[in-house]
Amino acid sequence: MNKDFDYKKYIPLLKKYEIIIASSIVIFVVVVMTFLLLIPNFDRAQNIYAQQQDLKRNRDVLQKKVNSLASIDAQYYKNNFAKIDQVLPTEKDYVSLFYTFDTLEQKTNVSLLKTDFQLGVISTNSAQLTRVPGSSAYVLPVGIQVLGSLSSIQNFIKALGDFSGRYITVDSFQIETKGGDAFIATLVGKAYFYPLPATLGSVDTPLPNMNSDEEKILNTIAKIQQTSSEEYSLPSSAVGKKNLFQ
Amino acid sequence: MPKRSVNLILPIEKDKPLVKKLKIILPVIAVISLLSFTIVFLASIFYVNSNIFQFNLLKSEIDQLENNIGSQKNTEGIYTLTTSRLNILDQVSGKSANFTSLIGAINQMNLSGISINSMASDNKGNVTFSVAASSSASMDSLVSYLLDKDKKKLFSKIEANGIVREKTGSYTLTITLLANNSLLK
């Protein structure tokens, strides 16, 4: 038996169907190349296009931010930041509280009898601090007792919240007569402070918008007299001999 | 012997009708598919390169914008810190009570013969105050005043308690009421 493959007997068959076979091979190769090359190419193009759209959105956000920054009067905000810091400081800053009370005492003709703060909040940074709900600002409970006429007490309460000094809200009051036109008012309220954030956000973080109420507050604060650091310092006290042998 | 002829020409085998059709259709399909594939593939390469070019342009534009923003970090910082503080002040001032109008309204009760001994209020408008009226006529004025405020919906739930008539004919009493929100703004 002849075990060798006799290909010669297939040659007539190939010749008979050569057109069909060649065309089929071409069609098969085209189909395979479509799946191997063409479709991945289109996928790649789609991915690049999608990334392009993301970049366009990012570019628009950044352009908007650049335009907003260009329109900001940086000097105006720098000039007023120290004043805003007086109204809402970055730390508890009891000195500014005392200064505010002293100033209002003179401005509204009341006499300050007593001020109370929560000692636990003063003593250590780890003491329990209460935040303003929904924000990063902290609350400093205060109690104030003043003596004056009803109208001067009314002016004092108004001045606590008019952004002319440290901002203090009054939650409740009690006023009692001391005879004649003199009243003692006991006010329970809150002062606030807002520590500086650790970061300002990434480069593509949009600038916050300022609404009309906030602009009004800024305009009010811009008019206040900025307190210089000298006004905060205590007067120097006379000291004794520095040298005992003199 | 008669002549014998041998026909050496092989008879041509006729193709079946299906094979005939395939011999025409398949080459056409092969040529068209090969041409189409070539055109579409070249177009896809062009499309990809064009997209890459646009992508790189956008990337460099973004880099420039980021550098610009980076150079204005100080301005951004001062503006952001300012608006965040103003936002807090706006939030807090919007929610807090301002007792100036309320005290003014109660102070108006210092009519002839009426003196206010004490007053107290919380930030929800729950007011308590004690008054001394020198005569029944003054009491009458006080009541008229309170009723007027009640009519204007500035005061509500007005209650008078502990009415004491002194030997001198004067009255002392405690009044509780609920002040309208408009008096706390």
Side-chain angles (χ1 to χ4, degrees):
Chain A
M1 203 164 125
N2 188 2
K3 288 183 183 172
D4 292 333
F5 178 68
D6 187 12
Y7 64 89
K8 285 184 182 165
K9 70 178 179 183
Y10 293 105
I11 290 175
L13 201 63
L14 283 173
K15 278 194 175 164
K16 185 179 175 187
Y17 295 110
E18 66 184 351
I19 293 173
I20 294 176
I21 291 167
S23 305
S24 302
I25 289 171
V26 167
I27 292 169
F28 178 74
V29 166
V30 165
V31 168
V32 167
M33 295 307 246
T34 300
F35 281 99
L36 282 183
L37 294 179
L38 194 60
I39 291 175
N41 234 13
F42 275 118
D43 281 343
R44 195 168 156 232
Q46 281 294 98
N47 281 339
I48 294 173
Y49 181 76
Q51 284 174 16
Q52 236 183 297
Q53 298 310 302
D54 288 341
L55 283 185
K56 274 185 186 164
R57 272 189 291 271
N58 201 11
R59 181 201 57 188
D60 292 342
V61 165
L62 292 175
Q63 186 64 57
K64 200 174 167 191
K65 188 169 179 177
V66 164
N67 294 341
S68 301
L69 283 171
S71 68
I72 289 172
D73 182 357
Q75 197 54 46
Y76 177 72
Y77 287 100
K78 265 187 207 164
N79 292 342
N80 289 311
F81 189 76
K83 295 180 190 178
I84 293 172
D85 200 51
Q86 268 179 255
V87 175
L88 180 64
T90 55
E91 302 170 322
K92 293 171 210 135
D93 194 6
Y94 296 100
V95 174
S96 71
L97 272 174
F98 295 130
Y99 179 79
T100 299
F101 295 145
D102 289 344
T103 311
L104 291 183
E105 209 179 356
Q106 289 166 25
K107 195 166 121 182
T108 58
N109 274 332
V110 298
S111 299
L112 205 66
L113 301 176
K114 203 164 68 161
T115 49
D116 296 320
F117 306 105
Q118 268 189 11
L119 279 178
V121 177
I122 298 175
S123 55
T124 63
N125 282 329
S126 60
Q128 195 174 8
L129 294 170
T130 317
R131 277 183 191 261
V132 173
S135 89
S136 312
Y138 290 95
V139 160
L140 195 60
V142 297
I144 312 161
Q145 202 175 63
V146 297
L147 171 73
S149 64
L150 260 185
S151 58
S152 56
I153 288 170
Q154 194 181 356
N155 291 336
F156 180 81
I157 291 175
K158 186 180 174 185
L160 286 175
D162 68 359
F163 306 110
S164 58
R166 183 82 180 259
Y167 185 70
I168 296 166
T169 54
V170 178
D171 295 331
S172 65
F173 70 86
Q174 202 169 340
I175 301 177
E176 286 174 11
T177 183
K178 286 308 277 182
D181 198 28
F183 291 84
I184 288 184
T186 305
L187 312 173
V188 174
K190 297 184 188 81
Y192 304 86
F193 65 99
Y194 181 44
L196 289 173
T199 58
L200 286 174
S202 60
V203 72
D204 57 355
T205 308
L207 286 179
N209 286 326
M210 203 183 290
N211 64 33
S212 56
D213 290 335
E214 290 165 8
E215 277 180 28
K216 230 188 266 179
I217 294 173
L218 179 58
N219 290 337
T220 308
I221 291 173
K223 290 174 192 159
I224 66 173
Q225 204 66 22
Q226 186 179 338
T227 312
S228 64
S229 55
E230 288 88 48
E231 292 181 53
Y232 275 58
S233 62
L234 296 168
S236 59
S237 310
V239 296
K241 286 184 185 175
K242 285 187 181 168
N243 186 348
L244 289 174
F245 301 101
Q246 276 179 347
Chain B
M1 202 186 268
K3 245 183 181 172
R4 281 174 114 181
S5 60
V6 178
N7 191 356
L8 296 173
I9 298 171
L10 293 169
I12 297 170
E13 280 182 43
K14 280 194 179 166
D15 286 330
K16 291 181 188 163
L18 179 62
V19 174
K20 256 189 196 170
K21 272 187 190 166
L22 285 176
K23 277 185 178 178
I24 296 167
I25 293 168
L26 281 181
V28 171
I29 294 173
V31 167
I32 291 172
S33 61
L34 188 61
L35 275 174
S36 308
F37 172 81
T38 308
I39 291 168
V40 172
F41 185 67
L42 288 173
S44 73
I45 288 175
F46 175 75
Y47 183 59
V48 167
N49 285 340
S50 155
N51 270 353
I52 290 172
F53 178 71
Q54 289 297 323
F55 181 88
N56 288 336
L57 265 182
L58 278 169
K59 197 86 182 57
S60 73
E61 220 178 305
I62 283 171
D63 288 340
Q64 266 183 354
L65 288 169
E66 284 180 351
N67 286 339
N68 191 340
I69 290 170
S71 69
Q72 298 190 69
K73 211 168 35 174
N74 287 342
T75 304
E76 182 185 355
I78 204 91
Y79 177 79
T80 305
L81 291 174
T82 301
T83 43
S84 59
R85 277 173 154 56
L86 291 173
N87 180 255
I88 286 168
L89 289 172
D90 184 35
Q91 265 181 48
V92 169
S93 64
K95 289 178 192 165
S96 65
N98 185 341
F99 293 109
T100 316
S101 305
L102 177 62
I103 294 174
I106 296 172
N107 198 14
Q108 283 173 12
M109 274 185 256
N110 268 327
L111 310 161
S112 157
I114 301 281
S115 60
I116 297 171
N117 295 332
S118 69
M119 67 170 103
S121 176
D122 63 12
N123 54 10
K124 292 189 175 41
N126 296 307
V127 182
T128 306
F129 59 96
S130 68
V131 296
S134 59
S135 64
S136 54
S138 306
M139 272 287 279
D140 200 39
S141 307
L142 173 65
V143 169
S144 303
Y145 177 84
L146 289 171
L147 287 175
D148 179 60
K149 292 293 183 199
D150 184 53
K151 213 172 162 184
K152 291 175 182 169
K153 296 193 191 318
L154 291 173
F155 293 160
S156 62
K157 296 184 184 175
I158 304 171
E159 288 179 15
N161 301 302
I163 303 174
V164 173
R165 189 176 184 281
E166 307 288 343
K167 278 183 194 170
T168 52
S170 63
Y171 296 86
T172 55
L173 66 155
T174 304
I175 296 174
T176 59
L177 55 87
L178 181 65
N180 188 286
N181 269 337
S182 60
L183 288 173
L184 300 172
K185 293 284 169 223

